[in-house]
Amino acid sequence: MRNDLTFCLPAPAGSAPVEWRVSDGRVGYEAAVAFMQARAAAIAAGHEAELVWLLEHPPLYTAGTSAKPAELIEARFPVFESGRGGQMTYHGPGQRVAYVMLDLRRRGPDVRRFVASLEEWIIRTLEAFNVRGERREDRIGVWVWRPDKGDGFEDKIAAIGIRVTQWVTLHGIAINVDPDLTHFSGIVPCGVSEQRYGVTSLADLGIPVSLPEVDMVLRREFERLFGPTGYAVASTENTSPGARSLSSVSAPSR
């Protein structure tokens, strides 16, 4: 296991553990965003602990701050303006979404390092399932080589898109575990349209794993990079406080 400190963003000694939540049901996108906004405001004010929230969404498309109208090919599912960095993406059943709400004032106000650490988190998680995920300088997310499809072919297996508000992070990552990959055909995923670049999942690569198995590895690797986590809460679907209007910036993903 790599221990490169470039990717470690632990909280200062004595800080409370990051709260770790997993929602069993599918969470609506607007409710999730409202919850994140309110929680980020509470973290910035020092009233709540940092949080990682694992969930699934029903099928939907989200448009980041760099999305272009032409990237929506067919609105097969609801489309939401997300406020995160990046372009068009898909969320749906079989995809593990992890929303990450961390206080970068305490961990280090370096957005690039935070994004690199999210990439490393995904890469280490995939390694546990014998999948080699890689970064690309010219493309967002984590990619895998697909020599079975042809020379130079690669598929995206995980997406990253974040927003930073008062140095508290929102949104996060999405790993394709076993989603319906045909659902991606309604958009140009993350603006990448070349034929040799596609989308894949663990199941598509012949690795049948469950979301709880992925969650277990995500938590282990998160703690190695970001520090301890606290108890898991079963669900947040019906506990979302009202959304607040916040001053924020969208950070383009690497």
Side-chain angles (χ1 to χ4, degrees):
M1 179 61 61
R2 295 183 300 275
N3 291 308
D4 189 341
L5 293 178
T6 300
F7 306 116
C8 292
L9 278 175
S15 299
V18 177
E19 187 175 342
W20 190 268
R21 298 191 181 192
V22 181
S23 288
D24 295 327
R26 297 174 187 173
V27 181
Y29 191 74
E30 290 175 316
V33 172
F35 178 87
M36 280 193 289
Q37 289 177 333
R39 183 61 175 250
I43 293 169
H47 300 321
E48 293 279 4
E50 297 173 308
L51 171 67
V52 172
W53 182 17
L54 305 187
L55 54 81
E56 285 180 287
H57 285 304
L60 56 90
Y61 299 128
T62 69
T65 55
S66 300
K68 301 176 178 61
E71 292 167 358
L72 179 62
I73 299 170
E74 179 186 1
R76 299 174 58 187
F77 307 110
V79 181
F80 297 93
E81 299 289 335
S82 71
R84 58 163 173 78
Q87 295 169 286
M88 294 290 301
T89 195
Y90 165 78
H91 292 313
Q95 183 187 71
R96 176 50 86 211
V97 173
Y99 288 138
V100 181
M101 287 149 269
L102 299 182
D103 188 348
L104 297 187
R105 292 172 303 183
R106 298 188 301 120
R107 293 174 177 270
D110 187 333
V111 175
R112 287 183 179 272
R113 186 179 180 191
F114 172 65
V115 172
S117 299
L118 292 180
E119 291 173 333
E120 184 70 10
W121 182 28
I122 295 167
I123 289 168
R124 293 188 183 193
T125 298
L126 294 174
E127 279 183 345
F129 301 103
N130 297 313
V131 174
R132 182 178 178 180
E134 299 181 354
R135 300 171 176 85
R136 294 291 177 261
E137 290 300 321
D138 59 338
R139 280 172 274 132
I140 297 167
V142 174
W143 296 76
V144 296
W145 287 105
R146 297 303 304 267
D148 53 311
K149 291 185 174 183
D151 185 39
F153 277 68
E154 300 177 50
D155 284 345
K156 188 173 187 175
I157 194 168
I160 301 173
I162 67 163
R163 181 178 178 180
V164 179
T165 298
Q166 299 175 46
W167 286 111
V168 177
T169 66
L170 298 91
H171 301 276
I173 69 171
I175 299 177
N176 296 332
V177 180
D178 188 16
D180 185 338
L181 295 179
T182 67
H183 290 180
F184 285 88
S185 64
I187 60 172
V188 178
C190 300
V192 180
S193 59
E194 290 187 49
Q195 185 177 359
R196 63 192 178 103
Y197 300 139
V199 181
T200 192
S201 66
L202 289 171
D204 184 51
L205 295 174
I207 303 169
V209 298
S210 66
L211 288 178
E213 289 175 299
V214 173
D215 294 348
M216 180 176 64
V217 179
L218 279 170
R219 188 170 190 173
R220 182 188 72 200
E221 299 304 327
F222 180 90
E223 290 185 335
R224 289 173 173 171
L225 292 166
F226 297 96
T229 61
Y231 63 92
V233 176
S235 176
T236 59
E237 287 94 328
N238 298 317
T239 60
S240 300
R244 301 184 186 181
S245 176
L246 302 176
S247 173
S248 62
V249 297
S250 298
S253 302
R254 249 284 314 115

